[in-house]
Each structure stands twice: as C-alpha cells, then as structure tokens.
Amino acid sequence: MSVMPDFSLSYLTAPKIHPSEALRIAANTGYKAIGIRILPAAPGGEYFPLIENPHELPGILNTMQETGISICDLEMIRLNADFDVDQLKGFFEVGAKLKAKHILVAGDDPDTSRLSDAYAKLCEACAPYGLTADLEFMPWTEIKSIKDAYKVIQGANNPSNAGIIIDSLHFARSDSDISDIARIPNHLFHYAQICDASGTKPATDVELISDARTNRLLPGEGGIDLKSIFTSISPNMPISIEIPNARQSQMSPTAWAQLCMDATKDFYKKL
C-alpha cells in the first residue's frame, strides 16, 4: 500500500456553498483541508465574496478551529495583460487571516516576458503573507504545459515562493511528459490535483474547458495514467481532489465529497 497523503476538498468538488459548510463537509468525510474561491475564475463566474464581506471571516475561523480543517489554497488569480498586483492586497490579507498556504494562479498573457514579470511581482507581493503562488498550466491558456510553467518561473528569476500545480487532467491533455517532472526542482511542487477523465483528448478548447468544468471522473473511471503521474511526485504532497461532474447535482455535497474521497483512497491503496 502506498503512503496515503493528506487530501483537500477542492472548491469545484463542493462549489456554491459557504466555506463554513465546506469545512464541516470536509471534516465529516476525511479531508484535512479545503480550497476556497474568493475571486472568480472568469468574469461573472461563481465565487465566495469574502474580500467584499470580511464580517464572514470570524465565523469561518471559528469553524476551522472547531473542525481542525485548514485552508489549502485560494482561487484564483489570473495573470493577463492588465494585471495589477496592487489590486490584490485584500486577497492576500484574507489569505493570511485564514492561514492559507497556496494561491492558484493561471496565465493568460501571450507576452511571455510580461507574464514572467507579472508573476515575479505577484510572488514578491504575496510572500509576506505566507502564501506561495502556484501556476496551474492548462492547455487553453498561455501556460499550456508543465514546461511552460517552469519557463515562467525561470523568467521571474525563481522566486522563493514560486510553485507549479500538477492537475492530472491538464497534465494528460497538454504537451507534458512524466520525464518533465524529474527535470523540475522538487521544491516547486507544493500540492497537486487529482481526477480522472476520458482517455480521448477533446479536439477544441471549448470542449477541453467543458470537460474540465463539468465532466471530470473519479479516479479509476477514465483513461488517464494516474499511476505514472502520482508515483512521480512526493508521496507526502497534499492532494486536492477536484472532480466537478454533472452527477454531483444529483447528490448532496456531503455524499459527493465522500464518493470522491473513497475513490481516491481506493486508487492510492492500489499504487
């Protein structure tokens, strides 16, 4: 049996619910942490407005203390041509109060030099708050592969709080290879995201995005070589279980979180 890592309940596995409820669900289903989305992934997207409503913080902090569940990551920051790090002070302050560990970061700027510069500024700004800035490569963004993510970090002069997220779905559907993981310094990997999916890569970005947001599968249900991915990273790395699927609307958030946890544990037991 493989080492069983600590698991975090991703925002997309239990979306549209209050963070305090997510914390209780996590506590009742075997997770050690949760992720919270406090900025939208896209304009008009769902998120919990904790920056705008700081009066919600004491209740969430009390629930964290009661349950013993921590905050793994905060979503999400996008680096685009209009990126302005000065607008993110409230985001960092919330992260520090929650004692969050990581920020999920996406890259949308086609100017690679400007993208690395923006990332360097983000890392510098969030470091005093105890946060790492973890790049999530996605094949429809400007950071399309694990190699692209590493190039951004190198272009930013390797900040001490830089990081790369390996999402098994994006890894499998991008120009990324298992050998790339070994070529990247291990200290850049703080946590990873797990799900399964069809072994057939969608042909268009629209289909890729749709699959990522609504059609991820439980580990073992699809065709991704999860074994190769998760035996290539540190066995002690926290794993965020991120499995949005249409089926979850037919179940309670607790039941879906439990199903995702059970399938992920079964996968690790077989490693």
Side-chain angles (χ1 to χ4, degrees):
M1 175 180 170
S2 173
V3 174
M4 196 70 69
D6 288 341
F7 296 110
S8 177
L9 180 65
S10 167
Y11 168 79
L12 286 177
T13 305
K16 302 180 183 180
I17 61 175
H18 194 284
S20 288
E21 183 181 352
L23 288 164
R24 294 188 183 96
I25 290 171
N28 291 331
T29 52
Y31 296 81
K32 297 294 187 182
I34 68 168
I36 304 179
R37 180 170 289 181
I38 61 174
L39 284 178
E46 295 281 348
Y47 73 105
F48 189 76
L50 198 49
I51 300 170
E52 300 91 330
N53 299 306
H55 62 275
E56 298 274 4
L57 270 168
I60 295 170
L61 292 170
N62 286 338
T63 307
M64 289 174 63
Q65 186 171 12
E66 291 169 8
T67 60
I69 302 298
S70 62
I71 307 302
C72 176
D73 61 339
L74 297 178
E75 300 185 17
M76 62 176 300
I77 291 174
R78 287 192 173 274
L79 304 177
N80 53 35
D82 300 320
F83 177 74
D84 182 359
V85 73
D86 293 333
Q87 296 181 356
L88 293 171
K89 183 179 179 182
F91 186 103
F92 303 145
E93 289 176 344
V94 167
K97 289 174 182 176
L98 292 172
K99 297 182 180 178
K101 298 176 178 65
H102 316 297
I103 301 171
L104 190 153
V105 184
D108 290 329
D109 192 342
D111 185 323
T112 55
S113 177
R114 186 170 58 198
L115 179 57
S116 283
D117 183 59
Y119 181 68
K121 291 177 180 176
L122 172 61
C123 287
E124 182 181 10
C126 72
Y129 297 88
L131 293 159
T132 64
D134 296 79
L135 293 170
E136 182 173 19
F137 56 93
M138 295 173 266
W140 61 85
T141 66
E142 295 300 330
I143 304 178
K144 299 182 183 300
S145 69
I146 193 171
K147 294 184 286 289
D148 290 341
Y150 189 38
K151 287 177 183 176
V152 171
I153 291 172
Q154 290 175 305
N157 293 319
N158 299 288
S160 61
N161 58 333
I164 297 173
I165 303 168
I166 296 177
D167 178 320
S168 54
L169 177 69
H170 303 323
F171 188 93
R173 293 186 169 173
S174 66
D175 179 25
S176 300
D177 188 83
I178 294 298
S179 62
D180 295 327
I181 297 174
R183 286 194 285 267
I184 294 173
N186 191 59
H187 72 268
L188 292 175
F189 300 119
H190 302 123
Y191 72 112
Q193 296 174 327
I194 192 170
C195 73
D196 211 336
S198 165
T200 303
K201 179 180 177 179
T204 68
D205 284 355
V206 171
E207 292 171 314
L208 282 167
I209 294 169
S210 177
D211 240 20
R213 292 178 180 172
T214 64
N215 199 31
R216 295 180 185 231
L217 302 178
L218 302 173
E221 287 187 334
I224 295 178
D225 184 4
L226 297 177
K227 182 177 181 179
S228 292
I229 296 171
F230 288 94
T231 55
S232 297
I233 62 176
S234 169
N236 299 315
M237 188 186 303
I239 302 297
S240 176
I241 300 177
E242 185 174 64
I243 314 179
N245 184 283
R247 282 178 290 173
Q248 69 194 109
S249 65
Q250 303 165 11
M251 306 173 68
S252 71
T254 298
W256 181 250
Q258 188 69 70
L259 184 62
C260 293
M261 170 63 80
D262 291 346
T264 304
K265 281 187 172 180
D266 286 345
F267 161 74
Y268 268 90
K269 289 175 183 176
K270 296 172 184 175
L271 280 183

